[in-house]
């Protein structure tokens, strides 16, 4: 076969390779938001109290945090490409199972599996993103995380539409998984093979220490905030604002939409003002948005408040993971563990606070976390 006849195929392959990494971030966002959008419906179907729902969400956090040593091993053993393929398959299989859970206990077990798969996938795609950033020789991680936000916006809007048309979570989740399977395979095939460099240390995991702790604290508070908004904003809209099931997911859609727009410019802001300033100022802006949301004056203002919070939190994870990733996959997994412990603790704490003090007080904790991020970012020298 001549070189000329091969050139169109090579060109198509190059285009697939160019979009493969962004698609992986989109996929995670779609699955994350699909689950978040249908939490109110699944809660109502199983008649869960806020505390019981908090326990279910605790399972998701346990799965994510517990998966990070496995994620580090997978990336070191197979490279980010294959680790993303294996864990991505896990995500696609687990998502429909959430809608099949017949009780709180089974829902919590499936949530653990979802958390484990998403944790491994998250570390894998961020390892791919870090390698991409090194190759580019400039800051690109925020743009990659913007693709996650695009997926989250799409997933939340799709969830809103599905709920509005009374389509069951099982049909919603099954259709989503089937539609994502082939693109996941194409992305896996299109990605370049990893140049796997095994670490000299045999440790599969390390506790964040030294300057990594500051990154972990910022990530921890960011995970409390993002995880709690994803899991509870729809419930807040439904319980506090009386929103319909089709309207409730719009709070998270607004959050993800403005986070997407902000992430499109965060890399340029980082180059001009420095990562610490961008994260700290953004966190204060997020706190303002949360306090607007919990004022609960009306549905549009509440959605706007959550949306402003999304813009404020936009830089947290891209810059934290970029900084940690420069020190290898084990450091990345260590910081991810510290960070996603917030995802473990935050949503159930919100549930228990809501049970005892009401949703407004519970969601107000997110504003406190935003202020803590601003303080920690101003002192985190490794964030640059």
């Amino acid at each position: 076969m001549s070189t000329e006849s091969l050139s169109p195929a090579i060109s198509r392959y190059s285009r697939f390779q160019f979009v493969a990494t962004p698609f992986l971030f989109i996929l995670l966002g779609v699955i994350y938001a699909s689950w978040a959008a249908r939490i109110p419906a699944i809660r109502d179907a199983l008649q869960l109290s806020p505390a019981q729902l908090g326990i279910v969400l605790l399972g998701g956090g346990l799965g994510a945090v517990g998966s990070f040593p496995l994620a580090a091993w997978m990336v070191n053993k197979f490279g980010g490409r294959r680790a993303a393929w294996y864990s991505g398959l896990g995500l696609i299989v687990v998502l429909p199972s959430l809608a099949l859970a017949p009780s709180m206990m089974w829902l919590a077990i499936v949530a653990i599996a979802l958390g484990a798969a998403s944790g491994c996938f998250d570390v894998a795609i961020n390892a791919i993103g870090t390698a991409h950033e090194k190759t580019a020789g400039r800051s690109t991680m925020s743009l990659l995380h913007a693709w996650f936000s695009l997926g989250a916006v799409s997933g939340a809007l799709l969830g809103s539409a599905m709920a509005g048309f009374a389509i069951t979570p099982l049909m919603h989740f099954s259709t989503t998984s089937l539609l994502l399977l082939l693109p996941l395979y194409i992305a896996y095939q299109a990605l370049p093979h990893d140049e796997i460099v095994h670490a000299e240390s045999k440790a599969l995991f390390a506790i964040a220490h030294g300057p990594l702790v500051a990154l972990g604290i910022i990530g921890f508070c960011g995970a409390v905030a993002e995880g709690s908004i994803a899991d509870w904003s729809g419930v807040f809209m439904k319980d506090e604002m009386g929103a319909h099931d089709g309207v409730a997911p719009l709070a998270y859609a607004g959050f993800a939409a403005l986070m997407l727009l902000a992430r499109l410019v965060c890399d340029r802001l980082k180059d001009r003002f420095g990562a610490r300033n961008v994260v700290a100022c953004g966190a204060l802006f997020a706190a303002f948005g949360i306090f607007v949301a919990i004022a609960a004056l009306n549905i549009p203002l509440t959605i706007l408040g959550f949306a402003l919070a999304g813009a404020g939190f936009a830089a947290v994870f891209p810059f934290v993971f970029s900084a940690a990733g420069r020190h290898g996959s084990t450091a990345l997994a260590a910081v991810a563990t510290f960070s996603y412990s917030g995802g473990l603790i935050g949503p159930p704490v919100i549930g228990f606070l809501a049970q005892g003090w009401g949703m407004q007080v519970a969601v107000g904790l997110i504003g406190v976390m935003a202020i803590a991020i601003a303080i920690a970012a101003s002192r985190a020298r490794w964030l640059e």
Side-chain angles (χ1 to χ4, degrees):
M1 185 179 290
S2 67
T3 303
E4 289 78 8
S5 62
L6 279 174
S7 59
I10 293 171
S11 177
R12 285 194 297 272
Y13 179 82
S14 298
R15 288 198 295 270
F16 279 132
Q17 189 178 70
F18 180 74
V19 302
T21 302
F23 172 75
L24 296 178
F25 282 84
I26 290 173
L27 183 147
L28 183 60
V30 168
I31 291 180
Y32 187 70
S34 296
W35 159 235
R38 302 315 296 267
I39 285 175
I42 293 175
R43 179 202 65 169
D44 292 346
L46 296 179
Q47 298 182 334
L48 303 180
S49 69
Q52 288 174 320
L53 180 57
I55 291 172
V56 169
L57 300 174
L58 175 64
L62 282 170
V65 172
S67 74
F68 289 126
L70 173 62
W73 176 82
M74 289 175 67
V75 172
N76 280 324
K77 176 72 174 178
F78 304 114
R81 172 179 173 267
R82 287 174 63 190
W85 166 240
Y86 297 148
S87 52
L89 286 176
L91 279 173
I92 284 174
V93 169
V94 170
L95 180 63
S97 303
L98 292 163
L100 293 171
S103 66
M104 186 197 81
M105 181 187 73
W106 282 107
L107 184 60
I109 291 171
V110 179
I112 290 172
L114 181 72
S118 64
C120 290
F121 191 76
D122 200 4
V123 170
I125 64 175
N126 275 283
I128 294 170
T130 300
H132 182 276
E133 195 170 54
K134 289 178 180 177
T135 301
R138 57 187 175 83
S139 179
T140 61
M141 189 66 84
S142 180
L143 182 58
L144 287 174
H145 279 251
W147 291 107
F148 167 85
S149 297
L150 177 62
V153 172
S154 303
L157 291 176
L158 177 62
S160 176
M162 292 283 190
F165 286 107
I167 295 173
T168 65
L170 178 59
M171 180 63 70
H172 172 190
F173 293 165
S174 299
T175 302
T176 300
S177 289
L178 287 173
L179 291 175
L180 290 174
L181 180 57
L182 180 59
L184 172 63
Y185 178 74
I186 293 172
Y188 163 68
Q189 292 292 343
L191 284 169
H193 290 267
D194 298 284
E195 295 182 7
I196 303 172
V197 179
H198 297 292
E200 293 183 5
S201 171
K202 298 297 183 181
L204 299 179
F205 176 70
I207 299 296
H209 60 279
L212 288 176
V213 173
L215 297 180
I217 291 172
I218 296 168
F220 174 89
C221 295
V224 169
E226 285 199 38
S228 298
I229 290 173
D231 293 339
W232 289 103
S233 59
V235 176
F236 182 90
M237 289 285 289
K238 189 170 182 180
D239 292 356
E240 294 294 319
M241 309 304 300
H244 182 268
D245 277 348
V247 174
L250 295 181
Y252 182 64
F255 175 85
L258 259 68
M259 179 174 281
L260 164 63
L261 295 177
R263 281 176 170 170
L264 295 176
V265 300
C266 278
D267 287 319
R268 280 176 283 177
L269 292 175
K270 175 184 175 181
D271 292 339
R272 182 171 182 180
F273 299 108
R276 287 194 292 180
N277 290 329
V278 173
V279 173
C281 293
L284 292 177
F285 188 70
F288 170 74
I290 291 298
F291 296 137
V292 169
I294 64 174
L297 298 177
N298 55 53
I299 288 177
L301 275 178
T302 301
I303 294 173
L304 175 63
F306 283 118
L308 295 177
F313 287 127
V316 174
F317 281 121
F319 293 171
V320 166
F321 283 2
S322 175
R326 290 194 292 268
H327 300 275
S329 60
T330 301
L332 176 59
V335 170
T337 302
F338 204 138
S339 299
Y340 281 101
S341 296
L344 167 66
I345 294 170
V349 167
I350 296 292
F352 289 118
L353 283 176
Q355 184 83 24
W357 298 88
M359 283 298 303
Q360 286 177 294
V361 172
V363 176
L365 175 65
I366 302 171
V368 175
M369 292 293 99
I371 295 171
I373 290 172
I375 295 171
S378 66
R379 301 173 180 272
R381 60 183 177 85
W382 270 25
L383 193 57
E384 297 296 347

